[in-house]
Amino acid sequence: MTHRFPLTRRLATLLLTATALGGAIPGAARAETIRVAVGTQDTTINCATGGLLIRELKLLEKFLPRDGKYKDATYDIQWRNFTSGAPLTNEMVAGKLDLGAMADFPGSLNGYAFAKAGRRSLFISVLSGSVRGSGNGIVVPKESPVQSFAELKGKTISVPFASTSHGLLLRAVKAQGWEPGRDVTIITQAPEVAGAALLANKIEAHADFVPFAELFPWRGFARKIYDGAQANAPTFHGALADGDYAEKYPEIVTAYLRAAIEADRLIAAEPEKYSELIERVTGIEAEVAYLFHGPLGLQTRDVTWKPEYRQAVKTSFETLKFLKKADSDIDLDRFVEDRFIRAASAQAGLDYEVRLKDYAPLPLAANDAATGQPITDPSRVAQLWIRGEGKVRHYASPEGALAALAKLESQGSEARAFYAQDRGTGIKLFANQAWFVRDAKGGLSAFLLKGDAQAYAAAQGGDVIDFAAARAGQARLSAR
């Protein structure tokens, strides 16, 4: 005899049987809403490929997994912006964020904070950095007579406490053989407060992270007198993940880094376009963003865990202990985790091992805008960003760029920015704030520090001049 159950009873029976057998109707158990909550630092522009650009270009949506166990998943993508790493860490530890971007020093504090809470965070990738230390810097008020860090003995220096620039400042003090509190007074001051203090000459010096040591001089009320490269202490910005989240959703963490790699590819191809986007979102001028993200930039975008960046994490943690912000060690090999960025690199068709060994800055493959000849010496490159033009013009030398600028200005054009490379360190500079050495043939070499220019002139011959004198001298030559 055939029993005919009503349709609803037959479905119920099938469901009960599947449950009893430990199975499920395909896809039913996988249907879930997965939060992807990312903490960004939009104004810390070297985090752009791990936050701002991913969000604004909707790259995360492009790479999130949609098959396998994620076939029926719905994503709840959340973005939170912070001005520094410490409050971002607080939100991660509180379980309100799954991923975040910050520098080595606050990143180490993130790892320690998770450990104190009985949990674990992972430093999953580098985003941008400098193995020499460029990016952090120290500035003084524009009219200050101070030209070098050594002249700050006995003075007060402000810095955002527990930031990567705090670590830089302490290393610079130590390199001078000074003691904080005895030879120099260090006080805490956020970037937005320090900017007003520098403008009003209420602070003698200020140390800060990306991009403020360049932004304040660009805005005309400060001068940079120390770059992190002088400390030769590696520094970087990178991405972190909640360890539990990463173990539960490794494919999502990999997708986030895949989006970061795509953001890196886009800004490498069109740095002017995306520097403009950064300005629209943050208010930080595109000229400053290009200083970092353009070819031969002040820092190098790099996703690989180079030994120097691992050492930066170790040094940061040691500094935290010195500051009594940490009282126990952290397992560096468990904290720095490269399996996700290796997976993302493979998906993007990148050879991680090749990039790991590559220390070159973002290259400049260009011809001189005036002569049409290939540019071969990056140490003398100069660049002009002309107002109204979408692309930066490249020149083989500062004197060539100055000659071109004089001609362009005579035709009614105006420069948005003039960039030069420090002849000694190779770091990118705003030329109007640089010192130059003019040799007997009229050739110019740029330097951040007057002392470096003087040493070069003494060794190689030539006169030390400022940007105004360099412009005037080139104008005289062009008039002949």
Side-chain angles (χ1 to χ4, degrees):
M1 181 176 179
T2 303
H3 297 281
R4 299 185 180 275
F5 294 101
L7 181 59
T8 53
R9 291 181 60 193
R10 291 173 64 192
L11 283 174
T13 302
L14 286 170
L15 285 169
L16 286 170
T17 303
T19 303
L21 294 174
I25 291 177
R30 301 190 191 103
E32 63 174 318
T33 298
I34 303 174
R35 187 188 75 180
V36 189
V38 187
T40 72
Q41 293 188 70
D42 287 0
T43 55
T44 305
I45 58 176
N46 271 11
C47 292
T49 55
L52 184 154
L53 291 178
I54 296 177
R55 183 188 67 230
E56 296 300 312
L57 302 176
K58 298 190 181 302
L59 297 177
L60 189 55
E61 289 88 334
K62 179 179 178 180
F63 293 106
L64 283 170
R66 308 284 179 181
D67 56 5
K69 68 180 182 181
Y70 300 99
K71 179 177 181 295
D72 298 310
T74 299
Y75 291 108
D76 175 20
I77 300 174
Q78 301 176 14
W79 296 95
R80 293 279 307 282
N81 180 38
F82 299 85
T83 57
S84 64
L88 197 163
T89 285
N90 291 340
E91 294 291 274
M92 284 187 72
V93 174
K96 297 178 181 179
L97 294 171
D98 310 308
L99 300 151
M102 63 187 74
D104 43 36
F105 198 93
S108 298
L109 190 59
N110 182 289
Y112 179 72
F114 265 83
K116 288 290 284 185
R119 295 163 56 210
R120 179 186 175 201
S121 65
L122 304 174
F123 227 144
I124 55 174
S125 178
V126 177
L127 294 169
S128 184
S130 168
V131 295
R132 297 191 60 189
S134 290
N136 299 309
I138 300 171
V139 299
V140 296
K142 183 179 180 180
E143 303 304 325
S144 170
V146 172
Q147 294 289 342
S148 69
F149 186 78
E151 297 172 52
L152 292 177
K153 187 173 184 178
K155 300 188 183 300
T156 298
I157 307 172
S158 70
V159 64
F161 272 22
S163 71
T164 186
S165 54
H166 193 182
L168 162 79
L169 177 58
L170 292 173
R171 288 191 289 271
V173 168
K174 183 178 180 181
Q176 292 290 329
W178 299 346
E179 288 290 336
R182 184 191 70 191
D183 299 297
V184 66
T185 300
I186 299 175
I187 63 171
T188 184
Q189 204 166 51
E192 57 272 21
V193 177
L198 288 163
L199 183 60
N201 284 297
K202 291 183 177 179
I203 191 70
E204 293 169 297
H206 176 69
D208 220 326
F209 48 82
V210 175
F212 297 100
E214 279 67 41
L215 181 66
F216 292 159
W218 173 254
R219 291 182 175 175
F221 54 80
R223 284 187 299 105
K224 186 178 177 183
I225 55 111
Y226 189 91
D227 183 81
Q230 293 169 246
N232 200 29
T235 186
F236 71 93
H237 289 82
L240 295 102
D242 180 303
D244 292 338
Y245 187 89
E247 293 305 321
K248 186 176 182 180
Y249 301 117
E251 298 87 355
I252 293 176
V253 174
T254 299
Y256 163 72
L257 294 179
R258 178 67 185 86
I261 290 172
E262 177 65 6
D264 179 270
R265 185 189 69 80
L266 291 170
I267 197 170
E270 299 182 274
E272 298 93 342
K273 173 182 177 179
Y274 293 107
S275 292
E276 298 276 18
L277 174 59
I278 289 171
E279 177 175 350
R280 288 196 298 272
V281 174
T282 68
I284 292 173
E285 290 84 344
E287 296 89 341
V288 176
Y290 186 88
L291 184 78
F292 286 90
H293 287 296
L296 305 176
L298 191 62
Q299 286 197 342
T300 299
R301 292 189 312 282
D302 180 8
V303 299
T304 62
W305 277 109
K306 289 177 169 51
E308 291 84 352
Y309 295 141
R310 289 178 179 269
Q311 178 61 41
V313 176
K314 185 175 186 295
T315 301
S316 296
F317 194 74
E318 289 170 351
T319 305
L320 285 172
K321 292 178 72 175
F322 171 77
L323 293 171
K324 295 182 172 50
K325 297 287 186 180
D327 56 14
S328 61
D329 288 322
I330 193 168
D331 187 334
L332 185 65
D333 292 332
R334 293 189 72 238
F335 181 41
V336 173
E337 175 61 82
D338 66 2
R339 61 188 166 104
F340 301 102
I341 190 58
R342 284 179 177 273
S345 296
Q347 289 180 12
L350 302 177
D351 190 323
Y352 184 88
E353 290 298 331
V354 169
R355 293 190 69 168
L356 184 63
K357 296 178 177 65
D358 185 1
Y359 283 78
L362 183 68
L364 173 66
N367 295 332
D368 187 294
T371 68
Q373 297 300 306
I375 296 173
T376 58
D377 182 1
S379 71
R380 298 197 67 234
V381 164
Q383 297 165 296
L384 285 174
W385 197 347
I386 301 300
R387 196 167 302 283
E389 294 187 355
K391 296 290 184 181
V392 169
R393 299 179 181 222
H394 312 291
Y395 299 88
S397 66
E399 62 271 19
L402 281 171
L405 178 60
K407 183 177 180 179
L408 287 162
E409 288 180 332
S410 72
Q411 298 169 349
S413 295
E414 178 187 0
R416 287 180 61 172
F418 190 136
Y419 304 99
Q421 305 296 135
D422 187 294
R423 187 68 184 268
T425 65
I427 64 173
K428 189 181 285 293
L429 310 170
F430 286 121
N432 66 329
Q433 295 154 21
W435 294 94
F436 292 85
V437 175
R438 182 172 56 203
D439 62 30
K441 296 182 179 180
L444 294 170
S445 296
F447 297 88
L448 168 65
L449 301 178
K450 188 175 184 179
D452 288 350
Q454 290 170 331
Y456 184 87
Q460 304 294 328
D463 301 320
V464 177
I465 56 177
D466 61 15
F467 181 68
R471 286 200 67 173
Q474 188 59 49
R476 288 193 296 270
L477 288 172
S478 299
R480 292 178 181 176

